[in-house]
Amino acid sequence: MSSRIQVLIPSSLLLLILAYMSVFYVREHEKAILFRLGEMVSADYKPGLHFKTPIINNVSTFDARVLTLDAKSERFLTSEKKNVIVDSFAKWRIGDVGLFYTTVGGDEFQANLRLDQIMKDAMRSEFGVRTIKQLISEDRSELRNTLLQKLAPTAAKFGIELIDIRVKRIDLPPEVSSSVYQRMRAERERVAREFRSQGAESAEQISAEADKQRQVIVANAQRDAENIRGRGDAGSAEIYAKSFGRNPEFYAFYRSLQAYQTSFEKTQDTLVLKPDSDFFKYFSSEK
């Protein structure tokens, strides 16, 4: 009896070991490849529990989460043949795990090397057709989209799914910065002078138009004043004529009084007249 128990215990243990070796588990953030005697058999495994043949099959798992390639600073030539120092990074993950294994051996380090190289080649091409001003002033999203369109198909050949690529910083080498800033300053000063010139020209036009309108307004006012004054003089003459026609003697007397007032207003003036002249006729008239 005891010998039978001794035989059953190793058998049960062997069955447990075989059962354990016959299953493998794929986590949510992993991708797995099944090999048969070193040859890749299948790579399309969903997360969960799967079966394999012990000893004949073995399984390798790879991290399928989003990874970051932080590229080193690199110098690129612009279309002006000026150097710029660019810092960039890329976000990627394993797309086709089978292709990823056959091209880069499933090695994340090798994948980063390949991706870094194709990133630099694409950036060298894109920076070479842009000026420094365009790189600094334009929206970076356009450059990002262009790089993604170029790099995604190439990265896919290595089983890599390229998610994003960004340019963090664009610097000028010290030997270039001063000359570039001077040109930019000169350009801004030229634009400012042009704006000032246009403003002065507009001011002259506005001033000339205002002077013209002022002269027209003054001329119209003077014309209207002359017309009003003429009508007033005509009305006054008409009133005087009507008054003279009603009582000529009184009108002559009134006019003489006005002449006396005007003549004697200034005491320092001297008048040389005959006493019997018409000027003094109302002084000698008897009531």
Side-chain angles (χ1 to χ4, degrees):
M1 183 68 180
S2 60
S3 61
R4 182 178 296 180
I5 292 174
Q6 291 176 356
V7 173
L8 288 175
I9 289 176
S11 300
S12 300
L13 183 60
L14 180 61
L15 288 174
L16 288 174
I17 294 173
L18 289 175
Y20 176 77
M21 295 176 62
S22 299
V23 297
F24 64 95
Y25 182 75
V26 180
R27 295 180 176 85
E28 291 287 342
H29 63 274
E30 292 180 335
K31 289 194 175 185
I33 299 178
L34 179 66
F35 296 92
R36 183 175 56 214
L37 300 178
E39 181 183 357
M40 187 170 59
V41 177
S42 179
D44 187 18
Y45 287 101
K46 302 295 182 183
L49 191 65
H50 303 275
F51 296 94
K52 64 176 182 176
T53 303
I55 300 174
I56 298 176
N57 296 131
N58 65 295
V59 177
S60 294
T61 56
F62 304 90
D63 192 348
R65 289 174 292 190
V66 176
L67 304 174
T68 300
L69 167 62
D70 194 359
K72 294 182 179 178
S73 300
E74 187 74 15
R75 288 197 178 203
F76 298 107
L77 280 175
T78 65
S79 61
E80 305 161 304
K81 305 303 179 185
K82 300 294 184 181
N83 280 308
V84 290
I85 302 174
V86 180
D87 285 336
S88 60
F89 71 91
K91 295 287 186 180
W92 65 276
R93 63 188 172 195
I94 299 174
D96 186 337
V97 67
L99 190 58
F100 182 77
Y101 179 81
T102 56
T103 53
V104 297
D107 188 351
E108 180 183 331
F109 178 76
Q110 291 296 327
N112 279 329
L113 287 179
R114 297 288 184 91
L115 188 57
D116 183 61
Q117 187 59 50
I118 62 175
M119 276 179 57
K120 289 179 180 177
D121 292 341
M123 285 186 176
R124 188 174 293 108
S125 174
E126 289 301 316
F127 278 68
V129 296
R130 288 175 169 82
T131 64
I132 293 177
K133 182 179 178 181
Q134 290 173 332
L135 292 172
I136 295 174
S137 61
E138 287 184 354
D139 188 1
R140 298 274 179 91
S141 61
E142 180 183 352
L143 179 61
R144 167 189 173 273
N145 294 334
T146 302
L147 290 173
L148 272 178
Q149 291 176 0
K150 283 190 173 183
L151 291 175
T154 306
K157 296 178 181 179
F158 301 100
I160 296 173
E161 179 186 353
L162 189 60
I163 299 173
D164 196 8
I165 180 170
R166 298 277 181 170
V167 174
K168 294 190 294 185
R169 186 173 177 178
I170 299 176
D171 289 329
L172 297 173
E175 64 272 15
V176 179
S177 298
S178 178
S179 61
V180 171
Y181 290 152
Q182 289 298 328
R183 285 200 301 272
M184 293 174 66
R185 180 177 179 179
E187 176 65 17
R188 292 297 94 194
E189 289 177 349
R190 183 191 66 79
V191 173
R193 287 195 299 269
E194 183 178 348
F195 285 156
R196 283 194 291 267
S197 175
Q198 293 174 356
E201 182 181 356
S202 298
E204 290 292 335
Q205 292 176 353
I206 294 172
S207 179
E209 182 65 22
D211 289 341
K212 176 183 176 182
Q213 292 179 3
R214 181 184 63 83
Q215 292 175 359
V216 171
I217 292 172
V218 170
N220 290 336
Q222 290 176 346
R223 180 198 63 198
D224 295 340
E226 291 296 331
N227 290 334
I228 294 171
R229 190 178 295 110
R231 290 195 298 269
D233 291 343
S236 175
E238 183 180 357
I239 293 172
Y240 281 137
K242 289 180 180 179
S243 300
F244 180 77
R246 289 180 180 179
N247 194 339
E249 183 62 26
F250 177 77
Y251 183 74
F253 176 70
Y254 178 73
R255 296 289 290 175
S256 295
L257 290 178
Q258 287 182 328
Y260 295 154
Q261 182 180 4
T262 303
S263 299
F264 299 144
E265 185 176 3
K266 297 181 181 179
T267 58
Q268 67 271 22
D269 292 342
T270 303
L271 296 176
V272 180
L273 297 170
K274 292 181 179 181
D276 57 349
S277 65
D278 291 338
F279 187 74
F280 294 112
K281 70 178 181 178
Y282 288 105
F283 280 84
S284 59
S285 298
E286 295 179 358
K287 300 293 182 183

